[in-house]
Amino acid sequence: MAKRDISPMSLSFLDVMCCGFGAIILLVMIMNGDVLKKREHRYEDLRAEFKRVTELENLARANLEKLQSDVQAAELREADLEVQATGLARKIDETKRRSDQAAAKAAAAQDSIRSLAQQSAAIQSAVTALREKNAEKWRGGRSPVGFSGDGERQYLTGLKLGAERTLILVDSSASMLDETVVNVVRRKLMSAPSRQTAPKWQRALRTTHWLLSNLRPGKKFQIYDFSTDARPLVAGSDGTWLSTDDTGKLTAAIAASRRIVPDGGTSLHQAFDVIRRMSPRPDSVILLTDGLATQGKSLSPRGVATVKDRERFTSEAIRDALPPSVPVNTLLFPMEGDPTAAGAFWLLAIKTRGSFLTPARDWP
């Protein structure tokens, strides 16, 4: 068999077609790979964008929930504020109502104060007029309890009777019966009515009457008699103050003084102890006596007290029983045998800033 020569140009059409088809397939595959790569990149971009959008959505959803929570809290606060505002409005209304009531009460109180001030002024004017009327009566010698002296001898120089609280202490011991020791002993043996009419005692009673008659109106007073003890002349008034405007009490004191029967010794301890019992303390003490004390705080020693004993009893009473800062004004009705009495009571007046007087026999 003869050998055929092969020529490149003798390729069949089929081969050409196969080669072309293979080339096309290769080209398609190359192009498809690029497409796939591009598509994969795009998918990755889309997935990343989806993830970002999903995250943004979650974040937005979380923010939305927070905003909803904030809105609910704001709504609750708004409701609470509305309740508080309503309560405050009610309180404001109540406060305004009370303020109006208080203003009305204040206005009424001001009216009452003005009315009371007018009444007080009227009362004060009436009291002033009454005091002036009483002063005119007293200047004319007509006191509430009445006392008539001889001519113009109704005064005691140096003795002031205008204190707010005046305490009168009247010595009612046996020595007030006379000015001599002999006559005192003699009168002590007489009957009670005879002792009551003793001249010296009558002088003491007239002096007491004069003092009570010349006390100023609107003041306080108290009167005691003392010997070995002290007693208020007005029954049931121990330790209390009486009004000088009470004519009944003044009259009762004068009547009680006339029933006293002088007797016993003289205890200044008992007299000065009355000052301590008074509350408040007196502004002025008027002491009517005739000499030094004859006994101390307790009973006097056996026998007659000597001059030194009496001086000691008096000094002890002033030192131990007399309260400080109380002026003592002494009216001395002297008797013989007691020469140091005047000096002792004069020193007492200096010490207490009081006064010391010895009235004349025909006074008042």
Side-chain angles (χ1 to χ4, degrees):
M1 179 178 180
K3 188 176 177 179
R4 265 178 96 176
D5 294 328
I6 300 173
S7 177
M9 299 300 294
S10 65
L11 292 175
S12 64
F13 180 77
L14 182 58
D15 293 331
V16 173
M17 291 297 291
C18 288
C19 288
F21 184 73
I24 292 170
I25 291 172
L26 179 60
L27 181 61
V28 168
M29 289 180 65
I30 292 172
M31 293 178 65
N32 189 40
D34 292 336
V35 170
L36 289 175
K37 286 181 180 180
K38 291 180 179 180
R39 187 178 296 172
E40 184 67 26
H41 288 306
R42 187 175 183 182
Y43 284 163
E44 289 179 359
D45 293 339
L46 290 174
R47 280 195 295 268
E49 183 67 19
F50 179 76
K51 183 177 179 181
R52 188 177 68 81
V53 170
T54 302
E55 290 176 353
L56 290 174
E57 182 183 3
N58 293 334
L59 181 60
R61 198 171 280 134
N63 290 334
L64 178 62
E65 291 177 356
K66 184 176 182 302
L67 289 174
Q68 289 177 345
S69 176
D70 293 341
V71 169
Q72 291 178 354
E75 290 176 349
L76 291 175
R77 285 196 298 271
E78 182 180 2
D80 185 55
L81 289 174
E82 289 180 356
V83 172
Q84 292 180 8
T86 303
L88 288 174
R90 291 177 181 174
K91 289 182 179 179
I92 291 171
D93 294 338
E94 180 66 18
T95 303
K96 187 176 181 302
R97 184 181 64 81
R98 291 181 179 178
S99 176
D100 294 339
Q101 292 178 351
K105 290 182 179 179
Q110 289 292 335
D111 293 338
S112 299
I113 290 172
R114 284 192 291 269
S115 177
L116 289 174
Q118 293 173 356
Q119 294 178 11
S120 176
I123 292 172
Q124 186 65 33
S125 299
V127 170
T128 302
L130 287 174
R131 286 182 175 176
E132 290 178 354
K133 186 177 180 180
N134 286 336
E136 290 177 0
K137 288 183 178 180
W138 286 27
R139 284 193 293 269
R142 298 184 299 277
S143 64
V145 294
F147 185 88
S148 297
D150 296 332
E152 298 296 326
R153 297 179 64 82
Q154 298 185 57
Y155 61 88
L156 279 178
T157 303
L159 181 63
K160 298 180 181 180
L161 298 176
E164 290 295 326
R165 295 176 298 276
T166 301
L167 174 62
I168 302 174
L169 301 173
V170 182
D171 186 352
S172 60
S173 63
S175 61
M176 293 292 288
L177 292 172
D178 207 282
E179 296 177 351
T180 65
V181 176
V182 174
N183 287 335
V184 168
V185 174
R186 182 174 60 84
R187 289 186 181 276
K188 284 176 62 176
L189 301 176
M190 294 181 179
S191 62
S194 297
R195 281 183 281 170
Q196 288 175 323
T197 59
K200 183 179 176 180
W201 178 243
Q202 287 297 311
R203 283 179 56 207
L205 292 181
R206 289 197 304 272
T207 302
T208 302
H209 189 172
W210 183 90
L211 291 171
L212 292 173
S213 301
N214 285 273
L215 293 174
R216 296 293 179 260
K219 308 297 183 180
K220 300 294 183 182
F221 82 99
Q222 183 55 276
I223 180 168
Y224 280 70
D225 76 290
F226 68 95
S227 53
T228 56
D229 58 358
R231 303 156 294 273
L233 265 62
V234 179
S237 65
D238 187 18
T240 61
W241 290 106
L242 307 175
S243 174
T244 57
D245 295 331
D246 191 340
T247 305
K249 292 293 190 296
L250 291 168
T251 304
I254 293 172
S257 68
R258 291 170 180 166
R259 292 193 295 269
I260 297 173
V261 180
D263 192 21
T266 303
S267 174
L268 289 177
H269 269 90
Q270 296 293 332
F272 293 157
D273 188 59
V274 174
I275 303 174
R276 293 186 176 276
R277 297 206 301 268
M278 301 302 296
S279 180
R281 294 279 173 82
D283 298 319
S284 176
V285 176
I286 302 177
L287 174 65
L288 280 68
T289 187
D290 64 344
L292 302 176
T294 60
Q295 70 173 54
K297 188 174 182 180
S298 59
L299 295 177
S300 60
R302 295 179 180 179
V304 178
T306 64
V307 174
K308 290 185 178 180
D309 289 335
R310 299 179 68 186
E311 290 176 350
R312 177 169 55 84
F313 295 153
T314 302
S315 298
E316 289 175 351
I318 294 173
R319 184 191 64 210
D320 300 335
L322 181 63
S325 303
V326 178
V328 178
N329 306 282
T330 304
L331 300 183
L332 184 66
F333 301 86
M335 65 178 297
E336 69 173 11
D338 203 3
T340 61
F345 288 110
W346 179 70
L347 291 175
L348 175 63
I350 294 175
K351 177 182 178 180
T352 63
R353 296 186 179 181
S355 59
F356 170 69
L357 303 170
T358 302
R361 285 186 174 87
D362 58 348
W363 188 91

